[in-house]
Amino acid sequence: MNAWLKVSAHPSADEFRGYYNIPDQCDDGTRVLRSVDRVPAFGFPEMWEVYQVAKKWFAEIAPVSAATEFDPLAVEPFYVRDETDDRTLCVDADFKVLNTSLLRRVQREFLGQFPLWRIALIGEHSSHAIMIYPTVIRFGNLPVELSPDEALRQLVPRALALREARERPRREKLSYLRQRLPDAVRAMRDRPFLVLGVLDNYDGDQSRLTICLLVRGADPDAVGVNGPAECSDDFLWSASAYGVSAEGRIVCEGRIPETTPFCLHLWLPPADYRGALTIVERDSGTPHSYGLKPENIVHIWPDG
């Protein structure tokens, strides 16, 4: 083991970019860090065993709380990723649930079973990743000597602030939809669809508008949107679909149960487009003209 590896036996995610505890050297020159001199062969069966144990173990130590209302932005306390090229188990973590006692349990109980492995708790940036080794925990790029409690006090607010900044455009969109949907479902009456509104961005992407199309029934593709005849295939994008209750609440995203009375489908034309679009009832082929005008567009992009 060379001098660099002796000094940096427990690096942070930023201090070492390479493989951990695999026996072979890499032809492309990628560095390999080993915690012991003789590392056994590594392959898919071992990775899959560790993943299956980890998935169950993390679910038991931090179960998902029962939410009273569906939140598209809700995250699991721990989401174990099912792929790795070395003995590093990557876990997406909600930093709100972290504390010293829990991290020590991960180190003692889980890595006690798999001492050749390390765990990377992934935050918003590599500088916030918590690398858990069998004997050392690295909190981002903070000094090793810092106490775990103090390290968490410094690291967690930074990670949560970045997460809030990333999620803010989606929260602005969801707030707008939740305010408008109850009135929109009442206004539907016997209509097959209703344009709920047009937003000036798509989850922070200012190159696209978001047309919010409320559709009767659970099939978001029952009503489609077509651009001008001369436009390219890339002109109009189709995005998320949400299930909507009879009261106008968002109840699911993605796969929508057949019993859901309404769904909300998002369509994304270019941000600078103003002009005619065609909304089509797919079964009958009935077209409806819709004029996208400046006064249609709601500006919800958050300041600062």
Side-chain angles (χ1 to χ4, degrees):
M1 191 178 290
N2 64 38
W4 184 89
L5 294 183
K6 288 181 181 178
V7 172
S8 304
H10 305 100
S12 71
D14 280 346
E15 289 170 347
F16 176 75
R17 302 294 176 91
Y19 295 110
Y20 182 71
N21 273 349
I22 60 173
D24 302 320
Q25 297 296 335
C26 299
D27 295 336
D28 62 2
T30 303
R31 292 184 294 183
V32 178
L33 175 63
R34 301 187 181 97
S35 63
V36 295
D37 290 331
R38 295 181 179 274
V39 178
F42 172 71
F44 178 80
E46 180 183 350
M47 184 281 293
W48 191 247
E49 176 193 2
V50 171
Y51 165 72
Q52 293 291 347
V53 172
K55 186 177 179 182
K56 180 180 179 182
W57 192 86
F58 277 99
E60 290 176 349
I61 67 165
V64 177
S65 60
T68 56
E69 183 177 357
F70 174 74
D71 181 1
L73 293 182
V75 296
E76 299 178 30
F78 297 103
Y79 176 80
V80 182
R81 300 186 187 181
D82 62 354
E83 58 183 359
T84 183
D85 295 321
D86 65 355
R87 287 184 169 98
T88 301
L89 183 70
C90 293
V91 181
D92 295 301
D94 182 354
F95 275 45
K96 290 180 181 178
V97 307
L98 299 184
N99 57 59
T100 300
S101 175
L102 188 148
L103 296 179
R104 291 299 190 200
R105 281 194 65 188
V106 174
Q107 187 178 49
R108 182 179 64 254
E109 297 178 19
F110 187 82
L111 291 181
Q113 299 179 65
F114 305 104
L116 289 178
W117 284 70
R118 63 178 182 171
I119 292 177
L121 298 183
I122 308 299
E124 293 296 313
H125 189 270
S126 60
S127 62
H128 301 141
I130 298 177
M131 304 298 297
I132 306 177
Y133 297 88
T135 58
V136 172
I137 300 177
R138 290 298 308 273
F139 295 86
N141 295 320
L142 295 174
V144 179
E145 300 78 17
L146 204 62
S147 74
D149 288 338
E150 178 58 29
L152 284 175
R153 277 194 290 270
Q154 293 188 30
L155 198 68
V156 169
R158 299 175 194 172
L160 294 181
L162 281 183
R163 173 177 157 184
E164 174 62 26
R166 174 177 59 82
E167 291 181 344
R168 190 177 177 191
R170 285 195 72 193
R171 292 218 177 271
E172 293 281 342
K173 176 187 74 179
L174 289 167
S175 176
Y176 172 83
L177 296 175
R178 285 169 173 151
Q179 290 173 14
R180 297 289 304 275
L181 276 168
D183 288 339
V185 297
R186 286 191 289 269
M188 280 282 282
R189 298 182 181 176
D190 59 350
R191 303 178 194 179
F193 69 89
L194 184 148
V195 177
L196 185 72
V198 182
L199 308 182
D200 66 343
N201 72 91
Y202 175 65
D203 292 349
D205 180 357
Q206 294 181 289
S207 72
R208 292 279 159 173
L209 303 175
T210 302
I211 299 174
C212 306
L213 189 67
L214 184 63
V215 178
R216 182 176 300 282
D219 182 5
D221 295 320
V223 177
V225 181
N226 295 334
E230 68 277 8
C231 71
S232 67
D233 293 340
D234 192 50
F235 174 83
L236 195 62
W237 301 353
S238 174
S240 304
Y242 301 99
V244 178
S245 72
E247 297 77 29
R249 289 182 293 105
I250 294 175
V251 294
C252 60
E253 182 179 12
R255 298 183 64 179
I256 301 172
E258 293 182 1
T259 55
T260 310
F262 303 100
C263 57
L264 186 68
H265 201 175
L266 307 184
W267 293 85
L268 316 179
D272 59 357
Y273 180 72
R274 307 292 182 270
L277 297 170
T278 304
I279 300 176
V280 181
E281 298 176 50
R282 299 295 194 197
D283 284 348
S284 66
T286 304
H288 304 264
S289 179
Y290 177 74
L292 182 54
K293 304 174 183 178
E295 56 265 30
N296 299 143
I297 299 170
V298 178
H299 299 278
I300 64 165
W301 174 248
D303 296 329

